[in-house]
Amino acid sequence: MSTRARPVLVTGAHRSGTTWAGRVLAASATPVGYIWEPFNPRHRPGTFPIRFPHYFHYLCAENGAACAGPIADMLAFRYRPAAELASLRSARDAARMGRDWRRFARSRRRGATPLVKDPIALFSAPWLAETFQMRVLVMIRHPAAFAASIRRRGWRHRFAGFLEQPLLMRDVLEPYTDEIRAASDRAPDILDEAILLWNILYGTVARLQERQPTWVVARHEDVAREPVAQFRELYAQLGLGWSGAVERLVRETSDASNPAETVRSDAIRRNSAEQARSWRAQLSAAEVERIRAATAPLAGRYYGDGDW
């Protein structure tokens, strides 16, 4: 498989800028086909027919064989109309089917590079990278920004979903077993829940970085503050084609005239510089200190004193 044709995986924690990064990278001058979150239980079966039973489902050499064929078909933009037809429940579903089928067909005709945007695939990223020769971009976000965003959205996590995956617990999350069991037995305060989730997700990233030196890692804050320069560098690192149109998209989606926060969680037009520091107004000084203490020393790997 040529360098250009190798798929790209954009992952990291949810609320870490993966949607913005994925959409901007998909605008490459070299054809790229955007694929939305196949590991998300809410994805459409026409694009990928397997619906995983857990968020953050874990695939590895021991359990991934049954999924390899369907993932390969997805990366080749082979749409599954029969699977989608069986799932239709509304006119909106039917319209989405037509849209996705056309997008897959267009990407296949163009020989587009598949770009999978999926933070929920984080734990499976090593298997995906090895099995499909994926280039991987991992987005990092400041723990206080992540926690503030999770609380603002009211997004709770079901930690029992980790415990229900023995391979995941054995291979990846064993160091967090006691904390995960406690959070599963009794849901913590939403900030404490976000803290634990940040430590789990980025503790995993820190360990993966030691074994995956070719993976690209980017801090959301750096991209938000210098979007043109940072995206240009990401394009170079991932072997994608930069253009004037891409630069215009970067400027439009990060411009100061955009809102810092939006109602839609998937909106990509933000005042990116303001968004990067909006957590400071959303958290009290005591809450910031609580997050800082609970995420140290892992946070120190990615953020210095000046970032707090």
Side-chain angles (χ1 to χ4, degrees):
M1 188 176 290
S2 68
T3 300
R4 177 179 172 182
R6 286 174 56 204
V8 175
L9 172 65
V10 179
T11 191
H14 48 300
R15 311 305 303 153
S16 67
T18 56
T19 298
W20 182 32
R23 286 295 187 185
V24 169
L25 293 171
S28 169
T30 50
V32 170
Y34 183 88
I35 299 173
W36 182 84
E37 298 187 10
F39 279 66
N40 190 322
R42 296 186 295 110
H43 78 271
R44 301 304 304 176
T47 59
F48 180 58
I50 297 173
R51 194 172 297 279
F52 295 119
H54 307 99
Y55 280 91
F56 297 100
H57 193 80
Y58 176 61
L59 293 180
C60 61
E62 289 183 47
N63 68 347
C67 301
I71 292 174
D73 284 346
M74 175 188 72
L75 296 175
F77 300 106
R78 298 188 184 101
Y79 192 76
R80 305 244 185 164
E84 188 68 25
L85 281 170
S87 74
L88 297 184
R89 298 292 182 270
S90 66
R92 183 179 180 182
D93 288 346
R96 187 184 292 113
M97 175 181 176
R99 179 202 66 188
D100 291 343
W101 198 348
R102 288 191 298 272
R103 286 179 177 175
F104 264 44
R106 182 171 182 266
S107 293
R108 191 172 62 253
R109 287 194 306 269
R110 299 171 73 210
T113 296
L115 184 147
V116 179
K117 190 282 290 191
D118 200 342
I120 304 168
L122 177 62
F123 297 136
S124 299
W127 180 82
L128 290 168
E130 180 178 358
T131 305
F132 302 101
Q133 295 79 55
M134 283 186 156
R135 294 166 284 180
V136 179
L137 166 62
V138 181
M139 296 296 295
I140 310 289
R141 194 173 188 191
H142 192 286
F146 175 77
S149 182
I150 290 293
R151 184 172 69 178
R152 192 171 70 84
R153 293 287 173 187
W155 285 6
R156 305 307 299 251
H157 181 73
R158 181 176 173 269
F159 285 92
F162 293 158
L163 298 173
E164 290 163 3
Q165 301 185 69
L167 294 176
L168 174 62
M169 295 302 300
R170 182 197 71 187
D171 295 348
V172 183
L173 300 185
E174 190 276 334
Y176 306 98
T177 299
D178 292 344
E179 293 171 278
I180 290 171
R181 288 194 185 281
S184 177
D185 291 341
R186 183 173 182 177
D189 168 89
I190 194 166
L191 280 186
D192 289 331
E193 184 173 294
I195 288 166
L196 175 56
L197 200 52
W198 191 93
N199 280 330
I200 288 171
L201 297 176
Y202 287 118
T204 300
V205 170
R207 292 190 298 276
L208 287 174
Q209 280 185 272
E210 297 173 2
R211 303 195 299 269
Q212 307 287 349
T214 64
W215 287 12
V216 179
V217 177
R219 300 195 318 174
H220 173 268
E221 294 75 23
D222 295 333
V223 180
R225 290 172 187 137
E226 297 183 306
V228 172
Q230 291 290 322
F231 269 118
R232 188 188 293 272
E233 177 63 20
L234 291 177
Y235 262 73
Q237 291 175 296
L238 294 168
L240 300 175
W242 184 263
S243 69
V246 173
E247 181 166 336
R248 285 193 295 275
L249 177 63
V250 172
R251 293 187 185 280
E252 289 169 3
T253 57
S254 61
D255 192 78
S257 64
N258 296 330
E261 303 290 353
T262 63
V263 174
R264 287 178 57 96
S265 61
D266 60 348
I268 64 170
R269 291 179 181 270
R270 309 282 182 93
N271 178 339
S272 63
E274 181 61 31
Q275 186 198 22
R277 55 180 176 262
S278 63
W279 59 269
R280 298 178 186 275
Q282 297 169 13
L283 298 168
S284 69
E287 288 170 334
V288 171
E289 185 54 38
R290 172 175 150 202
I291 295 166
R292 184 174 187 179
T295 57
L298 176 60
R301 181 185 180 103
Y302 302 108
Y303 297 95
D305 291 344
D307 295 311
W308 290 91

